[in-house]
Every structure is written in C-alpha cells, then in structure tokens.
Amino acid sequence: MRKEVMQEIKNMEENQDVLLNYSLLEFRHKLMLSYMYPNVIKNIEKKYGELKEYEGHKNLTGMLEYYYYFFMGMFYFRQKDLTFSLSHYRQAEKYLDSIDSEDIEVEKAEFYFKLSEVYYHMKQTYFSMNYAIRAYNIFKKQPVVHGNSTYGVQKVCCQFVIFGNLLDIMKFDEALKRAYKAYQEAEELNKNEKNRGHLIRSALFNIGLCYNQMVELDKAFFHFYKSLQITEPENHEYAAMLSPS
C-alpha cells in the first residue's frame, strides 16, 4: 500500500496539505521501523529536520497539527528526551477531540498508550496506569477479524505498562495477574500471527521479575530461563520491561 501511495505522490498535482500529510505519515512509518529494526533505519533525524520546518506553518491545522505534535512526541521519546516528548504530547492532546475521523476511538487509544509510556519512564505511576488502562479498554472493544484481535499487539503492550506500574508500587499479586494475562494474550496472538515470539519472551520475563520481587526465586529462575529459550525474532528493542530502579 505504501508503494502505491509513493507512486501516486510522484504523479499527483502539487497539493501542500497532501504532501504534508504524506511527510508526517512517512515519518511515523520510519519511527515504527526504527522500533522493529533498529539497525535498518538511519535517517530519522534527517526526516525530523525536514518536518521541524513545518512547526507553526499555515497548512498545519486540524488532524495535521495533531499528527505533527503526536509524532514529534514519539520521536523525542525514542531519543529518551522525556520532557520534550511529554510537551509535544500535551500539544497534540489539545487537538485530539477536534479530529473528525471514523477511527477517533482508536486514535485516542494510540495516544493514551504513548502517554502511558512516557509517564511510566518518568515514574508518574498513577498517570501512566490510568492512560494504559484507558487505551487497553478501547483496543479490547475493537472488532475481531478472521479470528484475530485487530489490536492484539497493542493490548499486550498496554498490559506490560500496567504490569510495570503495579510492580513499581509493590502490588505484586495484581502485577502477577497482569503479567500472566499478557502472557496468555501473547500466546494466543502468536498462534495466528508471525513474529510475535518477542511478546511471549517479554511476558515470561516480566513474570520472572515479579516472582523475583516476591522472593520466589525458583519460579523466577524458571520463567527467566523459559524466556531466554525464545530467540526469534532476534530484536533487542523488544527486550522485556526493565526492573524498576
């Protein structure tokens, strides 16, 4: 689909709104690939520099303005600049309710999840957990297509964030339930989709973390070891959530 769009872009009459929308979505695509294949995408910073010039541009209105700040927030999070990331997310949030889209609920869920991530890393536990739960509840309502959950990966990732926050505040029993729930959902997802082993690996590792915090060391070792047996796909960006400091 992306190749078709690229071909159409070459042949279309110049339209600044369309070109800006394309540039923003291309930037989002590169961000996604940088998470999945960290050694493949090298020119995100270049694309960032091109898009930065659009800040305050007259064509940057409505959904384009939302996308601009949302994707920039994702970029800064990727760079581990949490303050700038949150600042841009907050700017994006101003435009979220004004977006006219059939998929507005999914747009909100994606946004809530990204906020939950940055709040988790800032150790703003209750903000993070609140946004992750809101995102999860929206993703859970989305239709099942051909027996597959449309947003199965997103649901599992939300569970990871909720788990991490519960572990931070030492609610180990609740954290363990979330970790097992994430594991079950990841297992189910892996039956129907390719390259989902990293989610199972992370879920098992998180179960091990929880048992380790509960000083049930035999169980912790068992799940850590089981996690390490899953070697595909080899992708260090999908390593399990780090133990809280």
Side-chain angles (χ1 to χ4, degrees):
M1 191 179 292
R2 177 172 172 270
K3 288 178 180 177
E4 289 180 24
V5 171
M6 290 174 71
Q7 190 59 42
E8 292 293 330
I9 285 287
K10 290 179 182 177
N11 298 326
M12 64 168 272
E13 293 183 17
E14 187 168 332
N15 181 310
Q16 285 300 314
D17 284 353
V18 173
L19 289 174
L20 178 53
N21 192 47
Y22 171 77
S23 293
L24 287 167
L25 293 178
E26 177 75 355
F27 182 57
R28 172 71 178 95
H29 183 71
K30 290 181 184 297
L31 278 171
M32 178 192 72
L33 289 180
S34 76
Y35 278 98
M36 295 174 68
Y37 311 106
N39 297 321
V40 173
I41 300 300
K42 303 290 186 182
N43 60 345
I44 291 180
E45 285 80 5
K46 179 182 177 183
K47 194 69 181 176
Y48 160 78
E50 293 172 5
L51 287 177
K52 190 68 177 170
E53 297 176 5
Y54 280 105
E55 189 166 10
H57 195 277
K58 64 180 181 180
N59 291 86
L60 204 63
T61 58
M63 180 171 272
L64 292 180
E65 197 154 21
Y66 166 72
Y67 277 158
Y68 175 83
Y69 286 109
F70 184 35
F71 297 164
M72 283 298 179
M74 291 169 63
F75 171 79
Y76 285 119
F77 180 79
R78 188 79 176 81
Q79 302 298 105
K80 297 181 173 59
D81 193 334
L82 301 181
T83 303
F84 264 68
S85 176
L86 183 59
S87 173
H88 281 74
Y89 284 153
R90 284 302 185 199
Q91 282 291 103
E93 194 169 24
K94 295 177 182 178
Y95 307 101
L96 188 58
D97 289 326
S98 64
I99 292 174
D100 182 18
S101 170
E102 293 180 2
D103 298 321
I104 185 60
E105 285 303 300
V106 174
E107 290 279 359
K108 286 183 177 180
E110 293 278 6
F111 179 77
Y112 294 154
F113 174 70
K114 291 301 178 184
L115 264 183
S116 77
E117 277 190 316
V118 73
Y119 276 129
Y120 172 77
H121 285 275
M122 296 177 84
K123 296 305 175 189
Q124 297 289 321
T125 302
Y126 293 101
F127 283 118
S128 175
M129 197 148 45
N130 176 268
Y131 279 113
I133 290 171
R134 289 166 72 180
Y136 180 83
N137 288 336
I138 294 173
F139 287 134
K140 187 171 65 173
K141 293 177 184 176
Q142 301 313 305
V144 174
V145 179
H146 303 304
N148 294 342
S149 174
T150 316
Y151 292 93
V153 173
Q154 288 87 339
K155 284 168 57 183
V156 174
C157 290
C158 287
Q159 295 281 28
F160 287 164
V161 174
I162 297 167
F163 159 80
N165 282 297
L166 289 168
L167 203 64
D168 278 357
I169 56 178
M170 295 185 288
K171 292 189 175 182
F172 300 133
D173 290 338
E174 291 181 47
L176 192 60
K177 288 178 184 177
R178 286 286 178 177
Y180 272 112
K181 178 67 173 173
Y183 173 66
Q184 291 166 2
E185 291 186 356
E187 280 272 26
E188 192 63 33
L189 197 62
N190 197 53
K191 291 176 185 177
N192 302 312
E193 298 182 16
K194 295 180 180 179
N195 297 321
R196 300 307 183 198
H198 62 276
L199 295 173
I200 299 174
R201 182 169 62 223
S202 295
L204 287 168
F205 197 88
N206 286 343
I207 294 170
L209 283 178
C210 199
Y211 278 126
N212 188 61
Q213 294 286 68
M214 298 166 78
V215 200
E216 295 188 38
L217 302 184
D218 287 344
K219 291 180 180 179
F221 175 81
F222 172 80
H223 286 89
F224 286 147
Y225 183 78
K226 195 173 177 181
S227 171
L228 289 171
Q229 302 315 298
I230 302 173
T231 57
E232 297 294 336
E234 184 180 351
N235 189 331
H236 300 299
E237 288 295 312
Y238 281 122
M241 186 170 287
L242 295 176
S243 176
S245 56

